[in-house]
Amino acid sequence: MTTLLSHDSDVTETNSLPLSMVERMTLIMEAFDRPLARLTLDDVTQHTGLPRSTAHRILDQLVQCRWLIHAKTHYSLGSRALTLGGRERTQHELRSAAANVLQALARHTGLCVHLTTLAGSEVYFLDMFGAKYDQRTPLQVGGRAPAHCTAAGKAIMAGLTPEYVDSQFTTTVRGRQTARSIHDMDTLHQELARIRARNGLAVEHGEYLPHLSCIGAAIRGPEGPVGSISVATRHDGPIRSLAPIVLRAARSVSNTLAHNEVPH
């Protein structure tokens, strides 16, 4: 009996101990049980039961370590979390939602159409439709490119907070792919402001590859960009004439994602 009472006492004492940092971080990460989840601070505190100040502090630390992304008032899974396991599911959702639209866009334009998402400071190419412009085009499914040098990446970045852009791209933006590449933060922020003024349409001429031009638009989830569609053509191609159909394609995929969104 003494042993039993002692054991029960130990259990009670253990259960009354405050949660460790690891346990609190685990509670928060479990709130993002879907890769495309977009949660506010209030959503996280409601899910975890943690004090608001505690949840906010841990969320900030998770953002700094790239486990989460903070865009405007919402948080979502960051590049580290997506790389560990959520990425495949996210890719599947985006590719499923976009496949028919991208195939139709490739048929209509006769050009190369890409589906991309942001992975840290790079864009990750999830899918591709249409014939490649030529064999010098290294934009392949599974490939990566600096986000600030591509229309696809800039379209996504225009939907992120300036603070997040500063934290993720200040170092990488100094690297130039071509003579036309953006290579300082002031110029990058000016370009992102122009994209927002064009309803999210991003254009690049020879910024990643000298012989290519691209036009892109972001695919948006409920609270921010989750990917982008871009069309590539030769450097002197009529890229701006594609603006209306690229914007329509991105909106169509965004609407499909919203329709497929399963509430918590």
Side-chain angles (χ1 to χ4, degrees), residues 95 103 120 137 254 257:
R95 293 179 71 180
Q103 288 183 44
T137 305
S254 299
L257 283 176

Short mmCIF file of all heavy atoms in Angstrom, two decimals, residues 95 103 120 137 254 257:
data_model
loop_
_atom_site.label_atom_id
_atom_site.label_comp_id
_atom_site.label_asym_id
_atom_site.label_seq_id
_atom_site.Cartn_x
_atom_site.Cartn_y
_atom_site.Cartn_z
N ARG A 95 -0.20 20.31 -56.69
CA ARG A 95 -0.16 19.72 -58.02
C ARG A 95 -1.55 19.24 -58.45
O ARG A 95 -1.94 19.39 -59.61
CB ARG A 95 0.83 18.56 -58.06
CG ARG A 95 2.28 19.00 -57.90
CD ARG A 95 3.24 17.84 -57.92
NE ARG A 95 3.36 17.26 -59.24
CZ ARG A 95 4.15 16.23 -59.53
NH1 ARG A 95 4.88 15.67 -58.58
NH2 ARG A 95 4.20 15.76 -60.75
N GLN A 103 -2.10 22.50 -67.60
CA GLN A 103 -2.12 21.84 -68.90
C GLN A 103 -2.84 22.70 -69.93
O GLN A 103 -2.39 22.84 -71.08
CB GLN A 103 -2.80 20.48 -68.78
CG GLN A 103 -1.96 19.44 -68.05
CD GLN A 103 -2.65 18.10 -68.00
OE1 GLN A 103 -3.19 17.63 -68.99
NE2 GLN A 103 -2.63 17.46 -66.85
N GLY A 120 12.59 28.19 -48.51
CA GLY A 120 13.62 29.09 -48.00
C GLY A 120 13.74 30.30 -48.89
O GLY A 120 12.77 31.01 -49.15
N THR A 137 17.57 25.34 -71.00
CA THR A 137 16.67 25.71 -69.92
C THR A 137 16.76 24.69 -68.79
O THR A 137 16.24 23.59 -68.92
CB THR A 137 15.22 25.79 -70.43
OG1 THR A 137 15.18 26.67 -71.54
CG2 THR A 137 14.31 26.31 -69.35
N SER A 254 -6.13 29.00 -56.99
CA SER A 254 -6.39 29.48 -55.64
C SER A 254 -7.81 29.13 -55.21
O SER A 254 -8.05 28.69 -54.08
CB SER A 254 -6.19 30.99 -55.57
OG SER A 254 -4.87 31.36 -55.90
N LEU A 257 -8.06 25.40 -54.39
CA LEU A 257 -7.49 25.12 -53.08
C LEU A 257 -8.46 25.52 -51.98
O LEU A 257 -8.64 24.81 -50.99
CB LEU A 257 -6.16 25.86 -52.89
CG LEU A 257 -4.94 25.27 -53.59
CD1 LEU A 257 -3.74 26.19 -53.37
CD2 LEU A 257 -4.63 23.87 -53.08
#
